[in-house]
Amino acid sequence: MKPNFITEIIDEHNKIGKFSGKVHTRFPPEPNGYLHIGHAKSICLNYGLACQYNGKFNLRFDDTNPCKEEQEYVDSIIEDVSWLEAKWQEPTLYASDYFEQMHEYAVALIKKGKAYVCDLNAEQMRVYRGTLTTPGKESPYRNRSIEENLDLFERMRKGEFPDGAKTLRAKIDMSHPNLNMRDPVMYRILHAAHHRTKDAWCIYPTYDWAHGLEDSVEGITHSICTLEFENHRPLYDWFLAQLQIFHPQQIEFARLNMTYTILSKRKLLELVQSKLVSGWDDPRMPTIAGLRRRGFPAQAIRNFCDEIGVAKFNSTIDIAILEEAVRGLLNKTAQRLMAVLHPLKVVIINYPENQTEELEAINNPEDANMGSRKVPFSRELFIERDDFRENPPKEFFRLGPGREIRLRYAYFIKCVDVVKDSSGEIKELHCTYDPQTRGGNAPDGRKVKSTIHWVSAKQAQSAEIRLYDRLFMKANPDDAPEGFKANINPRSLEIITDCKLEPAIMEAKPRTHYQFERLGYFYIDEKDSIGERLVFNRTISLRDTWAKIEKVLKGRS
Ligand code: ATP
Ligand code: MG
């Protein structure tokens, strides 16, 4: 990890012997949705620090709100953190395992006269709370006796009161300039089953009460969170000081924001529920599950997190940086293959019928260790429809009537006839090949202006290919009076059926990343590829076409 303000703080702690040189971090997700790339940043940071300082790293579910939390989310989070290869201390931890302990702490605060049971409802409490410019008003229940508070709190726990009838609040200062210090709620009544503790509890701790305690119980030394929690820190400090228990150091950093991307679980859930995407793992989603399914390697995500680093001030990262991290890695690691998305048949009229030969193709020009493979060549081939023009404009160097080009790894071919159907649509091309040019060069030294990819028809494997583009049309998806859903890119998914792939695809190991030559990086869709049916997701195009589009748009305005 590059040195940053957090490593500076830790270095300083280690110098003065705070925490006896120990570093223990954690990732504390609430299981109320799938993880996204912003969470990946937090995971890489916390786990990275633990690694760098020879420390420990916990995975702890912050499962204190039973209404929004589900086992499905717990399972997905475990899968995602594992996939990112952040290794946490066994066992996996759950805030709900500390409910009893938190309850004891609450009783201790009541006994110290530092917490009270309040009968104000949510609306009244809001009014009593005051504003940034006006002080709050003390609750009429604030001065209940310790005995009465203990009794009422016990009865809250036993389930004697309906939801919302009472709360337990910290007794701090209703005129404190920091609103978080104005007698915040610690417990609320919620008759709801919890995905782990089931019906054991009908009072649940608030985030503000629970979070600092969870870190303290686990002996977390450096409690790293996003900037929104900076002005909650005095409250966490207050709770820990009152209880006189282990006191972690909270450090706030800037959350990840990214162009063309929504990183709010609530909004991502809205996309899922309104079926604007196929699910949390839709390959257009910025979720770890979506990115994985689309073919983003975990290593590329880690490289990206490393590259952007950590900062103390919020900013927005250009999504192109993430995309470049993916291209950069896949260029070095992806297996090359030829695939034709929009097939146009080519008949090599001077090539013997029923003959097939095998040509040598390089698996990755960036990595000689990846070797080569055999590609079958025969009389009937497919090329990309786009690689032929009947009336080629001057700048078009690919195939046209009477023109000669090179088939990658194979021969020069020349188009001698264009065969059309009754509607005038081009059905196939008739070409001749020059046997002297095997491997791609002419002994007489003549040159061709382009090289195109192709697939032998007889051996070709059919597949469905899904092309993705950014899910939102605007760099800031929230920039619309109707809300972010109005900015969805209607062309974010294009499905092409009956694409033709080299037969080598059938020998591939699962989870192989491919570069389909000249087209982009592709990854098999494990969910929808069943039996004979092959589905590929385009992970990313070879070049950033958006950069070009944006340049044009800028030029116009
Ligand atoms: P919510 O609005 O539901 O609280 P959240 O994204 O904060 O959403 P958590 O489950 O609380 O969800 O997040 C777990 C951890 O991930 C927290 O420590 C949080 O600071 C961190 N985190 C969340 N979003 C980002 C982000 N965009 N960039 C960096 N870290 C993030
Ligand atoms: Mg949160």
Side-chain angles (χ1 to χ4, degrees):
M1 184 181 314
K2 291 185 258 184
N4 55 57
F5 77 98
I6 300 180
T7 57
E8 271 170 31
I9 293 173
I10 297 178
D11 289 339
E12 180 60 24
H13 285 168
N14 289 348
K15 212 165 80 192
I16 62 174
K18 192 170 178 179
F19 304 120
S20 335
K22 286 201 196 94
V23 172
H24 197 159
T25 59
R26 86 289 180 259
F27 175 63
E30 183 181 354
N32 62 350
Y34 278 58
L35 299 184
H36 53 60
I37 183 91
H39 296 115
K41 174 171 177 171
S42 173
I43 294 166
C44 291
L45 173 60
N46 281 289
Y47 178 61
L49 289 169
C51 290
Q52 183 157 329
Y53 290 93
N54 235 328
K56 292 182 179 167
F57 170 70
N58 287 359
L59 172 60
R60 177 216 313 145
F61 287 97
D62 201 349
D63 55 347
T64 51
N65 181 3
C67 302
K68 291 183 175 167
E69 297 163 4
E70 284 172 34
Q71 189 60 40
E72 178 196 345
Y73 298 140
V74 172
D75 296 340
S76 75
I77 289 169
I78 289 181
E79 185 180 356
D80 292 348
V81 181
S82 308
W83 181 73
L84 283 170
E85 291 182 65
K87 296 180 189 69
W88 65 94
Q89 297 284 307
E90 288 292 343
T92 303
L93 302 168
Y94 296 84
S96 54
D97 287 344
Y98 317 143
F99 278 172
E100 196 62 53
Q101 172 82 70
M102 290 177 194
H103 182 266
E104 277 170 33
Y105 286 146
V107 169
L109 280 196
I110 296 173
K111 286 183 177 162
K112 289 182 77 171
K114 297 290 182 184
Y116 63 98
V117 173
C118 182
D119 297 6
L120 293 182
N121 64 30
E123 175 55 22
Q124 292 167 321
M125 219 181 286
R126 200 184 55 76
V127 176
Y128 272 74
R129 201 167 179 228
T131 64
L132 281 172
T133 48
T134 56
K137 225 168 66 180
E138 293 190 351
S139 161
Y141 307 98
R142 197 173 200 259
N143 294 313
R144 278 174 163 155
S145 69
I146 290 176
E147 290 68 36
E148 190 183 2
N149 282 321
L150 286 172
D151 176 59
L152 286 173
F153 188 48
E154 182 58 22
R155 287 163 60 195
M156 277 168 68
R157 179 184 183 167
K158 281 194 181 140
E160 283 187 29
F161 310 110
D163 287 3
K166 296 186 188 318
T167 56
L168 182 73
R169 298 175 69 180
K171 194 169 176 176
I172 310 178
D173 180 358
M174 286 308 291
S175 53
H176 201 287
N178 181 341
L179 267 66
N180 294 313
M181 301 296 275
R182 295 186 186 173
D183 291 12
V185 172
M186 296 160 60
Y187 276 93
R188 58 213 192 280
I189 302 174
L190 213 58
H191 291 268
H194 185 277
H195 64 106
R196 293 187 81 241
T197 58
K198 310 295 177 209
D199 292 318
W201 295 87
C202 64
I203 54 171
Y204 289 95
T206 56
Y207 183 88
D208 276 344
W209 166 241
H211 201 80
L213 300 182
E214 294 161 21
D215 284 338
S216 173
V217 167
E218 291 173 18
I220 298 302
T221 56
H222 300 85
S223 168
I224 294 162
C225 63
T226 44
L227 288 174
E228 310 91 88
F229 294 99
E230 190 164 11
N231 55 13
H232 294 239
R233 176 154 39 94
L235 174 60
Y236 303 162
D237 288 344
W238 186 87
F239 282 137
L240 297 170
Q242 295 301 322
L243 294 165
Q244 295 179 299
I245 54 178
F246 177 76
H247 201 139
Q249 173 69 55
Q250 174 168 308
I251 305 170
E252 303 87 11
F253 75 106
R255 54 181 287 120
L256 172 68
N257 299 307
M258 204 161 64
T259 57
Y260 298 97
T261 308
I262 289 267
L263 294 180
S264 146
K265 280 194 272 191
R266 182 179 61 73
K267 288 179 189 162
L268 295 176
L269 177 64
E270 241 180 283
L271 289 176
V272 173
Q273 284 175 337
S274 55
K275 301 214 179 328
L276 286 163
V277 294
S278 66
W280 285 100
D281 65 350
D282 185 302
R284 292 166 294 177
M285 290 280 270
T287 53
I288 308 291
L291 298 174
R292 174 171 61 234
R293 184 169 168 195
R294 179 154 162 176
F296 280 39
Q299 181 69 54
I301 293 175
R302 292 196 297 264
N303 292 350
F304 165 73
C305 292
D306 240 24
E307 187 179 333
I308 59 173
V310 285
K312 266 194 245 195
F313 302 99
N314 280 319
S315 66
T316 301
I317 299 288
D318 189 338
I319 193 175
I321 297 178
L322 173 62
E323 294 171 344
E324 269 313 307
V326 174
R327 285 191 192 98
L329 182 69
L330 290 179
N331 180 44
K332 287 190 223 132
T333 57
Q335 155 86 47
R336 269 53 168 180
L337 210 74
M338 291 194 286
V340 174
L341 300 195
H342 301 283
L344 171 61
K345 190 181 246 182
V346 168
V347 181
I348 312 286
I349 52 173
N350 59 340
Y351 195 86
E353 278 180 56
N354 303 323
Q355 181 175 313
T356 302
E357 66 185 297
E358 292 197 312
L359 300 159
E360 193 86 3
I362 294 164
N363 285 336
N364 187 341
E366 303 284 321
D367 182 359
N369 291 326
M370 287 178 70
S372 62
R373 66 184 186 281
K374 303 279 187 221
V375 184
F377 184 90
S378 63
R379 184 177 157 95
E380 295 194 353
L381 316 168
F382 294 114
I383 65 165
E384 211 67 67
R385 240 166 216 287
D386 224 27
D387 281 337
F388 175 81
R389 290 278 190 291
E390 198 171 8
N391 301 298
K394 230 170 65 207
E395 309 76 25
F396 187 88
F397 296 124
R398 292 167 267 169
L399 201 56
R403 285 197 179 185
E404 189 174 49
I405 53 98
R406 175 189 297 108
L407 293 179
R408 182 106 162 118
Y409 302 120
Y411 296 99
F412 286 8
I413 61 165
K414 187 176 190 168
C415 178
V416 293
D417 200 8
V418 180
V419 183
K420 297 184 177 173
D421 63 16
S422 53
S423 64
E425 175 110 24
I426 299 173
K427 218 181 85 193
E428 59 187 43
L429 304 178
H430 286 179
C431 297
T432 55
Y433 85 117
D434 176 358
Q436 299 291 318
T437 59
R438 192 176 201 271
N441 287 304
D444 63 9
R446 78 182 186 279
K447 301 276 183 234
V448 286
K449 283 199 170 141
S450 83
T451 302
I452 66 172
H453 61 273
W454 54 278
V455 170
S456 173
K458 199 162 68 194
Q459 294 86 358
Q461 291 294 330
S462 290
E464 174 180 318
I465 290 183
R466 298 173 183 171
L467 304 181
Y468 300 101
D469 199 350
R470 292 174 184 171
L471 186 53
F472 294 98
M473 293 180 295
K474 285 201 181 158
N476 173 10
D478 285 312
D479 179 15
E482 313 88 312
F484 69 101
K485 286 189 276 188
N487 281 327
I488 290 217
N489 177 2
R491 279 181 289 276
S492 58
L493 169 61
E494 182 191 344
I495 298 176
I496 314 174
T497 52
D498 213 18
C499 302
K500 303 295 183 186
L501 274 54
E502 251 184 67
I505 199 78
M506 299 317 285
E507 292 143 38
K509 293 192 198 76
R511 306 204 183 133
T512 306
H513 296 274
Y514 292 100
Q515 184 194 101
F516 292 168
E517 295 207 29
R518 300 174 64 223
L519 298 175
Y521 296 100
F522 292 80
Y523 192 64
I524 197 158
D525 190 290
E526 289 192 5
K527 206 165 176 179
D528 292 343
S529 298
I530 305 161
E532 296 281 277
R533 182 169 182 229
L534 263 183
V535 180
F536 280 86
N537 295 319
R538 183 173 68 191
T539 307
I540 194 98
S541 56
L542 288 179
R543 270 169 293 277
D544 183 359
T545 48
W546 276 81
K548 242 196 281 172
I549 293 167
E550 279 160 352
K551 232 189 206 158
V552 172
L553 289 177
K554 241 192 210 143
R556 271 195 215 144
S557 64

